[in-house]
Amino acid sequence: MSTILTTIGKQVTIYLGMPVFISGIVGGILNLIVFLSLHTFRQSSCAFYLIIMSILNIGQLFCGYFSLRIINALIGVDLTAISLFFCKFRIYISQLCSGLSLTCLCLATIDQYLATCSRVHWQQLCKIKLAYRLVLISTLIWILHGIPYLIYFNDVLSSSANQTSCVSVNSIFNNYRNNFFIVVLIGYLPMIIASLFGLLAYHNLQQMSHRTIPLIRRELDKQLTTMVLVQVIVNIFTLLPYTTINAITTNPNLANDSNIQEKLQFALTIINPFYYAYFSVSINELLITLLL
């Protein structure tokens, strides 16, 4: 049974994962070209967050998906199991890209909410210099957050399966990663924040028709708010299933049932392409929204 599930999982990774990866890379590059070529967006704090997020999404597709799961499915080689440096480096960069990408999404939705508020002193918080500082501070936080990954992740030989795997060797850090980092920090928390401020920004946008605002400013806010809302919708539909399955997997009542754990791991393998679709679809959706 496990062999059949493994084979199915590999086929799903190849035939769903490859289109997700390729479209994400191509869309991300085109997205950055469009963003950076328009002076209006280069001066917008919200657009700056989205630009940084696009770069991080490309990095996550390479480090988090292609370098491990797609290569493993295509040639049957786990690169993290044959190189200790790659074992530590891949997981470190992956947590940095995913965490900072979702942070930028939250900052973009908050920024757009403030930009569309009727209160002038709140609108004044939407400055490109402040955006630079917030991204820098967030980057430093996620860089420091990743240090335990460099310390505790190692190549470990399993005596039962006679197979080397890149895993955390510290049980306390492992519990933190499984129960808080994956489920909360890059799971439910950014979904809640982005959804809340995205809806508030949309509400503000509906009220802007009753305020005296220059047409160019109104159109820019409309376009940026649309981008943010698209991001929020993609966020929910791609990240929610993966986060929920991970939350179920860490349930202590199911930890000792090998049959259920095997099925949950298979479910995670099937859902993985949809999880990484967040990093692919989001940058493609941004490009489509920009061109409309």
Side-chain angles (χ1 to χ4, degrees):
M1 181 66 178
S2 61
T3 305
I4 296 175
L5 294 181
T6 302
T7 303
I8 294 174
K10 287 184 177 181
Q11 296 302 310
V12 169
T13 300
I14 293 171
Y15 292 108
L16 281 181
M18 283 299 293
V20 166
F21 172 75
I22 294 172
S23 65
I25 298 302
V26 174
I29 294 171
L30 293 175
N31 192 52
L32 290 173
I33 291 172
V34 173
F35 258 125
L36 296 174
S37 63
L38 297 175
H39 177 76
T40 305
F41 288 112
R42 291 202 304 269
Q43 299 301 314
S44 167
S45 53
C46 180
F48 173 72
Y49 294 129
L50 297 178
I51 290 171
I52 299 299
M53 190 182 71
S54 294
I55 296 172
L56 293 164
N57 286 353
I58 294 174
Q60 178 66 350
L61 286 171
F62 269 110
C63 290
Y65 199 37
F66 180 77
S67 64
L68 178 66
R69 301 187 184 280
I70 292 180
I71 288 181
N72 194 2
L74 285 173
I75 62 177
V77 175
D78 183 357
L79 297 178
T80 62
I82 59 178
S83 170
L84 180 60
F85 170 79
F86 190 71
C87 164
K88 294 175 178 289
F89 176 79
R90 189 205 71 85
I91 194 69
Y92 177 80
I93 297 298
S94 179
Q95 68 85 32
L96 173 64
C97 288
S98 60
L100 192 52
S101 171
L102 289 164
T103 301
C104 286
L105 173 60
C106 292
L107 289 173
T109 56
I110 294 171
D111 183 272
Q112 201 50 31
Y113 162 68
L114 296 174
T116 54
C117 276
S118 57
R119 300 178 183 179
V120 178
H121 64 282
W122 283 15
Q123 295 177 17
Q124 292 173 347
L125 294 174
C126 304
K127 295 180 179 179
I128 193 70
K129 289 184 179 180
L130 179 60
Y132 291 156
R133 291 170 187 161
L134 289 176
V135 169
L136 177 60
I137 292 171
S138 300
T139 302
L140 292 175
I141 290 173
W142 283 110
I143 286 173
L144 294 174
H145 176 271
I147 291 176
Y149 285 83
L150 298 175
I151 297 173
Y152 296 125
F153 265 81
N154 280 292
D155 287 329
V156 177
L157 178 64
S158 172
S159 56
S160 58
N162 194 28
Q163 185 177 358
T164 302
S165 301
C166 179
V167 295
S168 169
V169 295
N170 184 283
S171 59
I172 296 176
F173 175 69
N174 212 31
N175 286 331
Y176 161 79
R177 179 174 179 266
N178 293 333
N179 296 303
F180 186 72
F181 173 69
I182 294 177
V183 177
V184 179
L185 281 187
I186 62 169
Y188 294 125
L189 183 60
M191 279 189 274
I192 292 171
I193 293 174
S195 300
L196 175 62
F197 283 97
L199 290 173
L200 289 173
Y202 177 76
H203 177 265
N204 287 344
L205 190 66
Q206 300 299 103
Q207 304 299 317
M208 287 181 69
S209 58
H210 304 295
R211 306 203 306 261
T212 305
I213 298 173
L215 181 60
I216 297 178
R217 160 74 189 285
R218 182 178 299 176
E219 288 302 312
L220 176 62
D221 282 332
K222 181 180 179 181
Q223 194 169 30
L224 287 171
T225 302
T226 302
M227 291 184 208
V228 165
L229 286 175
V230 167
Q231 289 287 337
V232 171
I233 294 171
V234 170
N235 181 302
I236 292 173
F237 281 97
T238 55
L239 300 188
L240 184 59
Y242 179 82
T243 303
T244 303
I245 292 294
N246 266 294
I248 295 172
T249 303
T250 57
N251 188 327
N253 296 324
L254 304 177
N256 297 323
D257 193 321
S258 59
N259 186 40
I260 293 179
Q261 284 296 319
E262 183 178 312
K263 292 177 180 178
L264 287 173
Q265 289 303 317
F266 174 70
L268 280 175
T269 302
I270 299 300
I271 288 174
N272 250 307
F274 299 97
Y275 168 74
Y276 283 98
Y278 162 76
F279 303 98
S280 175
V281 175
S282 59
I283 49 186
N284 281 289
E285 289 291 344
L286 276 179
L287 179 63
I288 293 170
T289 308
L290 275 169
L291 297 177
L292 288 178

